[in-house]
Amino acid sequence: MINPNDPGLKSWVAVAAHSDFPIQNLPFGIFRPQHQTPRAGVAIGDHVLDLHYLEGQGYFRNLNLPSGVFDRSRLNDFFALGKKTIRAVREQVSLLLRHDNSTLQAENIRKQVLHAMHDVEMLLPVRVPNYTDFYSSEEHATNVGSMFRDPKNALLPNWKYLPVGYHGRASSIVVSGTPVRRPRGQVKTDSEFPMFMSTHKLDFEVEMAFITCGETKLGHPIHTHEAEDHIAGFALFNDWSARDIQQWEYVPLGPFLGKNFASTLSPWIVTLDALEPFRVDGPEQNPHVLPYLAFEGKKNFDVVIETLLQPEGAEAVVVSRTNAKYLYWNVNQQLAHHTVNGCNIEVGDVYASGTISGPSPGSFGSLLELSWNGQKKLHMTDDTTRTFLLDGDTVTLHAYASRDGVRIGFGACSGKILPSL
Amino acid sequence: MINPNDPGLKSWVAVAAHSDFPIQNLPFGIFRPQHQTPRAGVAIGDHVLDLHYLEGQGYFRNLNLPSGVFDRSRLNDFFALGKKTIRAVREQVSLLLRHDNSTLQAENIRKQVLHAMHDVEMLLPVRVPNYTDFYSSEEHATNVGSMFRDPKNALLPNWKYLPVGYHGRASSIVVSGTPVRRPRGQVKTDSEFPMFMSTHKLDFEVEMAFITCGETKLGHPIHTHEAEDHIAGFALFNDWSARDIQQWEYVPLGPFLGKNFASTLSPWIVTLDALEPFRVDGPEQNPHVLPYLAFEGKKNFDVVIETLLQPEGAEAVVVSRTNAKYLYWNVNQQLAHHTVNGCNIEVGDVYASGTISGPSPGSFGSLLELSWNGQKKLHMTDDTTRTFLLDGDTVTLHAYASRDGVRIGFGACSGKILPSL
């Protein structure tokens, strides 16, 4: 029996002790080797395994993959093959990378199939046909409601009955490492009229996103028990936000220009399979959910997420340490709710969790909450302080699940703030 | 000089007096002839001109189009060539269709290049990477605000300062003729808890949508004076809405499942060039807009839009007659606002106007307004009444601009309501 999650597995590729990418992980991404075209790869230690090369050499022949399916600049065509095929490829890669498998270890093959990570460029892993952002952290929704409405009735009446979500902008989702230009827009301060200016309240939002590997027909809902068949895996997601622009525009139709200037996705899609050992129960749901949102089993994941804020030329500070397990609504419920009216999904869709905040102040997932809308200053290593982001700041999310000496990491989700044009 | 809008132009293809598609129109679409693959075409009278055939035969040789650009199931690759190329193709088609041009009139060519409309299937004209819905009709926003908030302060504070908009769902945009399944979802009535049910308040929304023919880089705004360079043309758009689902879910992040079960787009994209003779001034904008929203010239279009409601097995009734000229915010302002924060656009994006209502009750663009949220009954030809849509009802939008004996029509934007699963 193949168990690619076995903590005892070792690879012949050297993997450092605290690497995000041991043989138990094997996430998928798109990379461009120097002087070559973009292609699909799998992260292993400090290297990227070239799936296009492997497929061309016949190493996946038993899986009957379409020829050239990894010779693409996005993973969509691969993911369209469905969950079983994605799983089979990960299992095959696991076999090929095991310490006792010599198939790829000969120097001439090894040179072709393994690329040092620092020599390749990581690209956006999927073309994103649709992007939805949920609002599934009770602590985050409570914090926002306390700040802007009434601390005693911080959660709106619908919040515990349905996973609130809204449609975001797909075109401005960028891969980790892409700089983010400080947006300009209308801001209404104490003056009588709104003014056009660069945002003064630029923020990050710590989120996890799941990426779909199936498509459904319009009119056909996905049930909670089958939702995971449509989910390839997770990536980290930073939903940059301009709080002052958002504040003026968002009533009644929701956030728009305060969000759609950029969202950053991490390049590696960590499979649901790799996260299997890290399932935990989510928060108790009270009141009981409607039948279409009911589910069985452990649907949350114990994934620590750390956020680092690095001023230009200074050391980074960890400003937030939270966990995906805090999410009130799970991904099965999110997908079931999203499609219960017949809305269809497509391959490569990105569904983000919404800001993940935990119960303690150090676990809040945005500067809005960490600085309590500017009232509290965060101290940086260069003796400056922050309430919101300054030009030159770099925000980096890291995440990992860890147990039995195995660490399933997500790689970095990072972006640096450039001044307005 | 070529003027494809000249009212005196006639085609050798027979065009009925009240046809939507005289030689002055020449809109683009995607059609599938019987037993053939989808391809791009131009509407002329009751026929579709086969652009793929023309290109293959070298009739566009002088334009240096990429080979096979019309041999596609969507117009995106063609639109990606940009406004000048789209214009040049329309002008070339205009020349080929003029009554005194014999190039295509030989029976053997004519049989290949012209398809009877009733013999072909019309497909969704573009793959839609992003869809945004604005809220640009003052009368509509005022009606909604009066119904659900305060008639004396019907417009929210931001409404006259920026073209309010939100992101919609791209995956569920369907072409005219596609049936629409009545959605189910959470509804909160007078009971203590929300219930899961089929919507009781299924509605249409009369909108125009513009489709983009260019892409921009993230971080680079589009100015009002250059916005039209990125717009290929317009189509009709019905943003079906479930008012009861929407009412329970939409605070604070905007409409979601109340909208994303389906939106219907008409199959023909009427070019901005064809609408050139129908430019009019829009409503006076007071207060003055911020400089980035300022514009020069006539940016509204005098386009009549009629909505027909047809109960199953009965005659249709015109329930609304409105006009695109009523829109407070024009497309140049919408695109400038959308991108002023750096948000990028892609080829084939759909930007809808929001419901277009005029000043009189008969010109309201939704049943919500026409029935004043269910208080007023609309009479059908079969002696039934409507406040919202019933199963079996068909809603069809028609639109046209008309002057000097020329009628630039949009074709039908139609959908029939199927019962919930």
Side-chain angles (χ1 to χ4, degrees), chain B residues 207-218:
Chain B
E207 308 196 14
M208 295 266 290
F210 70 84
I211 289 95
T212 46
C213 57
E215 63 178 20
T216 55
K217 275 183 66 177
L218 194 63

Side-chain angles (χ1 to χ4, degrees), chain A residues 315-326:
Chain A
E315 292 291 307
V317 180
V318 175
V319 291
S320 164
R321 193 166 195 274
T322 186
N323 195 307
K325 73 182 177 190
Y326 296 136

Side-chain angles (χ1 to χ4, degrees), chain B residues 80-211:
Chain B
L81 303 175
K83 185 99 171 189
K84 281 182 187 165
T85 301
I86 299 169
R87 179 172 294 150
V89 168
R90 179 168 171 267
E91 287 174 353
Q92 186 97 335
V93 167
S94 176
L95 274 178
L96 289 166
L97 288 175
R98 285 180 198 183
H99 76 283
D100 53 1
N101 188 318
S102 62
T103 313
L104 305 177
Q105 293 195 47
E107 186 59 21
N108 62 326
I109 300 178
R110 190 190 162 113
K111 270 172 67 178
Q112 304 247 32
V113 78
L114 279 185
H115 304 259
M117 263 189 197
H118 59 73
D119 282 341
V120 307
E121 179 191 3
M122 294 306 301
L123 304 182
L124 193 68
V126 283
R127 178 178 62 75
V128 183
N130 306 278
Y131 153 45
T132 291
D133 198 20
F134 286 96
Y135 189 54
S136 289
S137 157
E138 182 176 359
E139 289 79 3
H140 172 66
T142 303
N143 287 339
V144 171
S146 298
M147 258 181 266
F148 294 113
R149 289 182 295 268
D150 174 7
K152 284 175 195 148
N153 295 290
L155 285 186
L156 285 163
N158 57 15
W159 201 91
K160 291 220 164 174
Y161 290 97
L162 53 85
V164 171
Y166 68 105
H167 300 119
R169 181 78 179 183
S171 72
S172 51
I173 295 177
V174 297
V175 70
S176 175
T178 309
V180 172
R181 182 74 63 186
R182 178 181 297 271
R184 303 193 300 168
Q186 287 193 30
V187 173
K188 179 78 160 56
T189 54
D190 298 335
S191 60
E192 189 180 351
F193 305 110
M195 290 188 294
F196 182 74
M197 56 168 68
S198 295
T199 175
H200 287 185
K201 291 191 171 181
L202 186 55
D203 201 355
F204 59 78
E205 289 195 334
V206 175
E207 308 196 14
M208 295 266 290
F210 70 84
I211 289 95

